[in-house]
Amino acid sequence: MRPHLLPAQFHALFRIKRKGNTFDYSKDRKKLKKQFKKREAPRIECPQIRNAWSDKKSVARNLRDMGLAFDPNRALPIKTPAIAAVGRTEDAPAPKLVRKPYVLNELVAEASLPEKDTKTLSTDLIEYVQYMVREHSENYKAMARDEKNYYQDTPSQIRRKVDQYKRCHPEEYTTFMESLRGGKAVST
């Protein structure tokens, strides 16, 4: 059984926290709240929408001002067939006021641009195909037996790689073939 402890011994034994939380006057709470909101808000990837976005408005209000739909079910409702629609006339909803039409115009202009062809091949594959064509021309069986065919590609696999090179880099392929014709005769 423990003997009775004096108050000083009790505090030393249990380390009681005496000081409560204090307010830090050196920090600007309004600025901290703004920074927190900005940090926590999701990043908008579309530059047109990001530039026209207002943090003071709700998501639905921002999108409505831009002429975009927040809820696709409301924008394009599913119409149920009316059984007794003889006496009724459909009232068209009033058109929404678009305050920022330039956003919609920029999005339409960007969507109408042709898609940039980004298909490319690795440099290793390009070098491999160029070597095979330089050494064997169009003889795919000889290419398959070549010692540089490390991955043991079949003739049809090599033909596919050559065709892929022709498709992805047509200008480079034509200059390569012209340099072969001008430089030396291709052996089979």
Side-chain angles (χ1 to χ4, degrees):
M1 188 160 180
R2 275 194 167 168
H4 184 68
L5 295 174
L6 296 173
Q9 294 170 333
F10 182 78
H11 291 299
L13 191 63
F14 292 103
R15 302 264 186 223
I16 294 177
K17 184 178 176 186
R18 292 173 186 235
K19 186 178 175 186
N21 291 339
T22 58
F23 187 78
D24 189 0
Y25 290 96
S26 65
K27 292 183 180 171
D28 186 1
R29 297 288 170 185
K30 190 175 182 181
K31 188 176 176 183
L32 287 172
K33 185 177 179 184
K34 268 187 172 179
Q35 287 174 349
F36 177 75
K37 275 182 137 180
K38 191 171 188 175
R39 200 171 39 242
E40 291 300 313
R43 171 136 172 89
I44 300 171
E45 293 297 325
C46 180
Q48 293 89 353
I49 295 175
R50 187 182 335 116
N51 293 336
W53 196 265
S54 173
D55 290 328
K56 299 191 185 317
K57 296 179 184 174
S58 68
V59 176
R61 182 65 190 250
N62 267 312
L63 292 175
R64 187 174 62 220
D65 287 350
M66 293 178 213
L68 302 172
F70 173 68
D71 185 7
N73 294 325
R74 281 183 158 178
L76 300 170
I78 299 172
K79 297 189 180 184
T80 57
I83 298 170
V86 178
R88 281 189 260 151
T89 59
E90 289 190 29
D91 295 328
K96 304 281 187 206
L97 179 64
V98 178
R99 297 181 195 273
K100 300 176 183 177
Y102 62 91
V103 175
L104 203 55
N105 297 337
E106 288 174 4
L107 287 171
V108 169
E110 185 180 329
S112 66
L113 291 174
E115 187 177 336
K116 188 176 177 184
D117 190 19
T118 57
K119 294 180 201 124
T120 185
L121 301 175
S122 67
T123 54
D124 293 340
L125 186 62
I126 291 172
E127 290 173 5
Y128 171 75
V129 168
Q130 286 180 350
Y131 168 79
M132 290 296 185
V133 171
R134 190 181 308 114
E135 294 297 317
H136 304 289
S137 183
E138 295 286 321
N139 189 352
Y140 296 108
K141 287 184 180 179
M143 289 182 194
R145 288 190 304 268
D146 193 289
E147 63 183 13
K148 295 278 186 181
N149 184 7
Y150 298 126
Y151 296 110
Q152 298 181 353
D153 292 330
T154 63
S156 59
Q157 287 173 325
I158 295 173
R159 182 183 304 113
R160 233 177 285 135
K161 287 181 181 179
V162 171
D163 290 342
Q164 191 177 17
Y165 176 59
K166 288 178 190 176
R167 229 183 13 259
C168 292
H169 302 283
E171 299 89 16
E172 189 177 330
Y173 178 76
T174 54
T175 55
F176 172 67
M177 292 306 287
E178 287 172 4
S179 69
L180 281 181
R181 287 187 203 111
K184 64 170 189 160
V186 179
S187 62
T188 54

